[in-house]
Amino acid sequence: MNLPPAHHAFYLALQRELPAARLITDPARTLAYGTDASFYRLVPQIVVRIENEAEVRLLLREAHAHRVAVTFRAAGTSLSGQAVSDSVLVMLGDGWNGRQVLDDGARIRLQPGVIGQHANDALAPWGRKIGPDPASIATAKIGGIAANNSSGMCCGTRHNGYHTLSAIRLILADGSVLDTADADSVAAFRDSHAALLDGLATLAAEIRARPALESKIRHKYRLKNTTGYGINALVDFSDPVDMLAHLMIGSEGTLGFISSITYDTVVDLPNKASALIVFHNLDACCRAVTALREQALCDAVELIDARSMRTVRHMRGLPDFMYDEIPDGAAALLIETRADDKDALTQRCSTIGALVAAYTPQADSGFHTDPAVTNAYWSVRKGLFPAVGAARPVGTTVVIEDVAFPIEHLADGVRRLGELFDRHGYDEALLFGHALEGNLHFVFTPSFDSDAETQRYSDFMDAVAALVAVEYGGSLKAEHGTGRNMAPFVRQEWGDDAFAIMQTIKRLFDPAGVLNPDVIISSNERIHLQDLKAMPAADELVDRCIECGFCEPVCPSNGLTLTPRQRIVLWRAISAARRRGDDSPTVQAWERDYRHAGIDSCAATGMCATRCPVGINTGTLMQKLKGPNRYRKAGAWVATHMKLATGAARLGLAGWHATRTLLGDDGARKLNRAARKIIPLVPAVPAAMPRPARPLPAPGQTGRPVVYFVSCVNRTLAEGDGKDSVASSALSLFGKSGWHAIYPPGLNTLCCGQPFASANAEDAANTAGNATNTALLAASNNGEIPVYIDNGPCALRLIEAQRAGLVDARLRLYDAASFLDEHVAPRLAIAKPLAELALHVPCSATKLGAADALRALAQRCSDKPIGTGVACCGFAGSKGFTLPELNANSLGQLAPEARACAHGVSMSQTCQIGLSSHTGSRYHSIEALLDQLSTPLAGPDQGR
């Protein structure tokens, strides 16, 4: 640790109060954790994880005492450089995930660590949602959503955080706490901070005394506008406390820390329809937008320019006209409308269709309600940002900017921005946006590897600022926040008078300037051209990464070691250092720490790819970097002796449970820990480790045939409490629904190959997979009979191998949830569903596309199935036995509602073990739960 004197003193002061593990100074993690989604790279001196308000106040006190700057970070999806720091970066720990639905869903109180989508999930039973709907809502956290006044495609200005704010709890730079929902807190604050409130009242009076300035402020906020501070608070409210509360929205961590926020929620209408309409004339397209805005019938209207349409023409499921030649000057509108019921929706669609037809569109898809169709349409809009990122030359950076024009100038704005792209040589640039608000996003890929390229970017941004802010009186930042990259242009957009008011606001709240300096207000006119992020080549598997962070919520090592984004950031730095021959102590530290933090602690389940805009599976790189398994010869032996291996495992399980009986649970755990210290290969035994499975029961003989591949894990481990097995439950369900099972020949010798593939023993994996393929072909009569696979990861392994041509294409392979939902559950009756049930959708089900089937089965089994909120439990095959802290870390994020459930369900034996071990609830296989609750459905079709 080699810190500057002030930071060293700050570190020592915090060290006396906080656990050392939450004070991070090593070169690997400061680089990795310091990264956000913007195109700036700053490496913090110190990263601090905070867990509660007391720690925030401590941190702010010491920051003032030692004059060190602090920057608060939520999810790090910010695009404008407002969440990076070269001083102290403050990250939210697990203690900020509280949420409380109020007034039957009319309001919701949220702490800053709650992911936006999780807030909406909590509101879904009431048919409500929060107003802000940024594209990053599945990743972005409430602290960032509020601090950036995020909006989105359907939010507009009416439902953003500013307008839906009900109450806020905040901590100011001096450590004082204000809770606007608490009358006593407000009264005490009025006494203790009279000078601050008087200062805001004085600024409001100054504005009222200048009618032209007041008029300008009101005019600019009829647009989406996040440039500078939200000084509309000074004209919208008369009480300085209300002004202060609303100034915090969009303040980007420069005025204080948002400890919790209460939103007024909005109705989430259940019926929706979408249409895709192309105009060959931009003016006609924009006149249609104006008419749609006036009628207020649309929830979202997205404009897509000609270049953007050409970029996404490879996507499937689009109307035929999207594959035709698209001329320059064309534009498309993607429209969504919603209603309470289907009749009202039909009427809305008809009215909108007639209105748009008056502007002579070239082609119109008509409105569709089928999610398969509408999702394909919206994939056009959502695919634009990643399309540019995926196709960019290696080494370039993705920049996405957002501006807003007065709606009456939308067509001119689109045209003029296109001319700027051409003039400055950004031929790859795409233009699209929220047309109802005149809000346009543009994406391009500058290179910052030379002074000339940086100057080209600078000239372009100067031209954009002059066009948008000066010529058209628009917003240089409509919804992404001012950050660092627009801080030099705030005065240009707002003028001297308004800018002076913003400067005064900053001084009133943060007189020492310790909160996020150079963000929003900066005296450095070139701050937007400094510390630009390099994106050097690292590996073709990950070079397309745009460092957006969308992958992070589904990564089980998030908060334990590194996330996929952070793994890529650090590997890029290591790769670049190797190319230039850099062997400095910093680089040595990066490489030393990467083995565990990057490679060994990666679950490698590939869930990151399901959230990545460009489909990157970081786990594939980690597997590659891990190298061949040194025990691959032993793996090859096991692959051909599975019956012996599973038998030995059952014997070991029996021995473990005998030890538990003899020594008790505590004694057995102590013995296990001691053995692991001596022999690292000894597995860590989870608290809910099942008993050994009994021999496979004999299948029935009547009904339609189904080949039943009992996975090796379910042949080894009993179901839950050990009284039964997954196989016995599955056979019972088959019998109830008119099926009879056929075991493949030599079943006890078979394995799908997944355990070997996870261990990088590919030869063994292929040997096992080939043997299973042969046995399944024989049992299914060359694919005539469907094949049921009873463990999610095993089904994924075989189905993905089939897609890759490694398993015979004739085989009709089914994962458990899909088969049960389609062929078994409709023939069952459930008299008494469980009152509530925690549902865990494992990684394998998500990747198989079986999540909806599993949810449908859970809904049959329970009046109230509750999602765990965890995308990957972190057990990850054998990782739960070799790196148990990964499983514990991931399940620390379990939804409180799910944790309170007595019963849980999944479709992966190892996931069920981990969940049962860490929650105290008993997690069952979907087969066991469905069998326990069901009886055969009487009727003429039964047994066919």
Side-chain angles (χ1 to χ4, degrees):
M1 183 175 67
N2 185 21
L3 298 173
H7 287 83
H8 184 69
F10 172 83
Y11 178 90
L12 292 177
L14 290 188
Q15 193 178 43
R16 290 191 288 269
E17 305 286 342
L18 300 180
R22 293 201 272 117
L23 298 173
I24 298 159
T25 60
D26 62 90
R29 288 186 295 169
T30 51
L31 170 63
Y33 292 176
T35 296
D36 76 350
S38 74
F39 49 96
Y40 296 96
R41 177 87 73 211
L42 291 171
V43 180
Q45 297 288 339
I46 305 170
V47 177
V48 184
R49 289 189 185 277
I50 53 170
E51 295 289 353
N52 53 53
E53 288 186 352
E55 292 179 0
V56 176
R57 299 176 74 182
L58 164 70
L59 183 140
L60 290 172
R61 184 187 73 210
E62 298 302 334
H64 279 88
H66 300 286
R67 289 296 187 266
V68 299
V70 297
T71 295
F72 296 108
R73 157 85 65 80
T77 57
S78 303
L79 295 163
S80 306
Q82 58 267 63
V84 292
S85 173
D86 58 2
S87 180
V88 176
L89 183 69
V90 185
M91 301 179 70
L92 300 178
D94 294 338
W96 299 98
N97 294 322
R99 65 195 192 204
Q100 183 180 8
V101 177
L102 306 170
D103 305 332
D104 294 326
R107 296 186 303 141
I108 187 169
R109 181 181 295 126
L110 301 162
Q111 287 190 295
V114 176
I115 291 173
Q117 185 57 54
H118 293 174
N120 284 343
D121 292 342
L123 288 166
W126 286 270
R128 312 283 294 189
K129 63 180 180 177
I130 62 172
D133 63 334
S136 59
I137 195 167
T139 303
K141 296 179 178 178
I142 292 299
I145 289 172
N148 290 289
N149 194 18
S150 302
S151 48
M153 286 182 273
C154 299
C155 172
T157 54
R158 188 161 57 101
H159 291 151
N160 64 14
Y162 178 94
H163 287 291
T164 57
L165 175 65
S166 175
I168 193 168
R169 183 177 174 92
L170 54 93
I171 303 175
L172 295 181
D174 63 2
S176 59
V177 178
L178 169 63
D179 187 343
T180 65
D182 182 340
D184 291 339
S185 175
V186 172
F189 190 84
R190 289 188 194 278
D191 289 339
S192 63
H193 286 73
L196 170 58
L197 297 177
D198 288 345
L200 294 178
T202 298
L203 291 176
E206 288 180 15
I207 293 172
R208 288 194 297 272
R210 302 178 188 177
L213 177 57
E214 182 176 1
S215 176
K216 180 176 184 176
I217 292 170
R218 294 190 184 280
H219 168 79
K220 287 187 69 63
Y221 283 103
R222 72 184 178 94
L223 305 176
K224 278 188 175 182
N225 194 330
T226 59
T227 309
Y229 291 118
I231 55 176
N232 50 333
L234 302 177
V235 300
D236 289 344
F237 301 96
S238 57
D239 186 339
V241 172
D242 289 330
M243 296 176 192
L244 185 154
H246 287 80
L247 279 166
M248 291 296 297
I249 303 299
S251 61
E252 301 176 29
T254 65
L255 302 182
F257 175 82
I258 297 173
S259 179
S260 78
I261 188 167
T262 303
Y263 284 121
D264 293 321
T265 64
V266 300
V267 176
D268 189 13
L269 296 172
N271 295 281
K272 61 183 179 181
S274 297
L276 189 57
I277 304 165
V278 171
F279 299 79
H280 279 188
N281 182 290
L282 180 61
D283 291 305
C285 177
C286 292
R287 288 199 304 273
V289 171
T290 302
L292 291 169
R293 180 183 172 91
E294 290 171 354
Q295 292 296 317
L297 294 171
C298 301
D299 291 86
V301 177
E302 294 293 298
L303 185 146
I304 306 169
D305 78 345
R307 298 188 210 206
S308 299
M309 283 191 282
R310 295 186 193 114
T311 300
V312 295
R313 288 171 64 192
H314 65 283
M315 293 183 175
R316 296 180 179 179
L318 303 181
D320 290 342
F321 58 77
M322 286 293 290
Y323 303 106
D324 296 336
E325 188 63 30
I326 297 171
D328 293 336
L333 295 180
L334 177 55
I335 300 174
E336 179 175 287
T337 186
R338 301 187 178 197
D340 281 317
D341 56 63
K342 293 181 179 179
D343 290 342
L345 182 66
T346 299
Q347 182 58 49
R348 275 183 169 242
C349 293
S350 178
T351 303
I352 294 169
L355 188 153
V356 171
Y359 296 91
T360 61
Q362 179 70 22
D364 185 344
S365 71
F367 278 96
H368 292 269
T369 57
D370 181 355
V373 176
T374 59
N375 288 343
Y377 290 1
W378 282 96
S379 69
V380 173
R381 167 61 178 84
K382 295 174 182 178
L384 292 173
F385 182 27
V388 177
R392 78 186 194 281
V394 174
T396 60
T397 300
V398 181
V399 174
I400 180 169
E401 286 293 354
D402 76 306
V403 299
F405 289 95
I407 192 71
E408 60 271 20
H409 298 304
L410 181 60
D412 284 345
V414 173
R415 226 180 341 257
R416 296 284 299 279
L417 282 173
E419 292 171 1
L420 290 183
F421 299 149
D422 293 338
R423 186 183 314 157
H424 293 274
Y426 292 120
D427 300 328
E428 77 286 357
L430 304 184
L431 187 62
F432 50 91
H434 316 317
L436 290 178
E437 308 299 331
N439 178 193
L440 299 174
H441 298 323
F442 52 92
V443 184
F444 61 113
T445 58
S447 172
F448 297 130
D449 59 357
S450 70
D451 291 342
E453 285 297 308
T454 300
Q455 187 60 48
R456 177 165 71 123
Y457 171 75
S458 176
D459 293 342
F460 174 72
M461 293 307 298
D462 288 346
V464 168
L467 173 70
V468 176
V470 178
E471 188 170 346
Y472 286 105
S475 308
L476 287 172
K477 279 296 184 182
E479 58 180 2
H480 292 172
T482 307
R484 313 174 84 81
N485 65 321
M486 281 301 169
F489 301 99
V490 175
R491 184 194 298 266
Q492 183 178 5
E493 175 172 333
W494 277 100
D496 291 341
D497 291 345
F499 185 68
I501 288 171
M502 294 181 186
Q503 289 178 305
T504 302
I505 288 170
K506 174 65 173 173
R507 288 194 296 269
L508 284 171
F509 280 80
D510 182 24
V514 301
L515 297 179
N516 217 5
D518 283 324
V519 169
I520 298 183
I521 300 296
S522 178
S523 59
N524 183 348
E525 294 183 354
R526 293 185 61 81
I527 191 69
H528 65 306
L529 304 175
Q530 297 172 357
D531 303 303
L532 297 170
K533 181 188 286 184
M535 301 279 253
D539 189 286
E540 62 181 9
L541 291 170
V542 297
D543 282 341
R544 294 176 300 140
C545 175
I546 53 182
E547 299 185 10
C548 64
F550 285 11
C551 55
E552 293 189 335
V554 298
C555 178
S557 59
N558 185 4
L560 177 67
T561 53
L562 300 178
T563 67
R565 168 168 63 175
Q566 293 160 357
R567 287 181 169 92
I568 293 171
V569 166
L570 195 49
W571 188 245
R572 278 175 167 160
I574 291 170
S575 300
R578 287 177 175 176
R579 283 195 297 272
R580 64 177 180 266
D582 185 348
D583 193 35
S584 65
T586 294
V587 175
Q588 291 178 23
W590 291 344
E591 294 192 319
R592 181 185 65 245
D593 294 345
Y594 200 76
R595 182 75 204 186
H596 173 70
I599 299 170
D600 292 341
S601 62
C602 176
T605 59
M607 282 301 291
C608 47
T610 69
R611 292 288 186 90
C612 175
V614 293
I616 294 170
N617 184 342
T618 310
T620 304
L621 175 62
M622 297 304 104
Q623 290 287 87
K624 175 181 175 180
L625 296 178
K626 183 184 294 185
N629 192 305
R630 57 179 172 167
Y631 302 111
R632 56 188 180 276
K633 290 184 178 179
W637 184 89
V638 171
T640 55
H641 295 80
M642 284 301 301
K643 183 176 182 179
L644 186 60
T646 55
R650 286 193 296 271
L651 187 62
L653 281 170
W656 166 253
H657 284 283
T659 302
R660 284 182 60 201
T661 301
L662 182 65
L663 301 180
D665 287 345
D666 287 344
R669 279 195 292 268
K670 289 178 182 177
L671 180 63
N672 182 229
R673 285 195 294 268
R676 281 174 56 77
K677 289 179 181 179
I678 299 170
I679 308 173
L681 287 176
V682 171
V685 184
M689 192 69 192
R691 293 183 177 275
R694 298 172 181 173
L696 291 176
Q701 299 298 316
T702 61
R704 294 174 295 173
V706 56
V707 174
Y708 181 14
F709 178 72
V710 186
S711 60
C712 59
V713 68
N714 285 332
R715 301 196 305 268
T716 303
L717 304 175
E719 164 73 33
D721 56 15
K723 296 178 182 177
D724 233 325
S725 67
V726 173
S728 61
S729 297
L731 293 176
S732 175
L733 287 171
F734 293 156
K736 292 177 185 179
S737 57
W739 295 87
H740 84 270
I742 302 169
Y743 290 144
L747 174 58
N748 285 321
T749 69
L750 300 179
C751 173
C752 70
Q754 179 60 36
F756 306 107
S758 296
N760 269 18
E762 281 299 325
D763 289 345
N766 291 335
T767 297
N770 290 337
T772 298
N773 177 59
T774 300
L776 293 180
L777 275 173
S780 68
N781 195 18
N782 292 322
E784 288 185 11
I785 302 171
V787 177
Y788 181 89
I789 308 165
D790 70 357
N791 196 53
C794 305
L796 178 64
R797 169 71 182 180
L798 291 172
I799 291 172
E800 285 191 334
Q802 187 180 57
R803 291 168 182 166
L806 302 176
V807 166
D808 197 286
R810 292 171 293 176
L811 289 172
R812 295 156 56 200
L813 304 176
Y814 282 88
D815 64 88
S818 297
F819 189 87
L820 293 173
D821 183 50
E822 182 178 350
H823 297 293
V824 173
R827 299 169 179 272
L828 303 176
I830 296 179
K832 288 189 65 177
L834 298 174
E836 59 181 19
L837 174 70
L839 167 65
H840 177 67
V841 178
C843 308
S844 52
T846 300
K847 296 174 72 176
L848 281 164
D852 287 343
L854 185 57
R855 291 189 188 98
L857 293 169
Q859 287 167 354
R860 289 178 180 269
C861 294
S862 173
D863 296 326
K864 189 181 179 184
I866 298 168
T868 61
V870 174
C872 175
C873 72
F875 207 97
S878 63
K879 278 283 199 299
F881 301 115
T882 60
L883 192 68
E885 56 267 36
L886 185 65
N887 186 218
N889 180 73
S890 182
L891 294 181
Q893 301 300 315
L894 200 75
E897 301 90 341
R899 193 177 292 278
C901 290
H903 297 280
V905 69
S906 190
M907 54 182 282
S908 164
Q909 174 76 267
T910 50
C911 293
Q912 291 150 215
I913 294 170
L915 286 155
S916 297
S917 297
H918 289 284
T919 64
S921 304
R922 174 61 66 185
Y923 275 74
H924 309 273
S925 68
I926 187 59
E927 292 95 338
L929 186 65
L930 193 60
D931 183 43
Q932 175 189 337
L933 297 175
S934 67
T935 57
L937 183 66
D941 290 338
Q942 177 60 33
R944 288 188 185 176

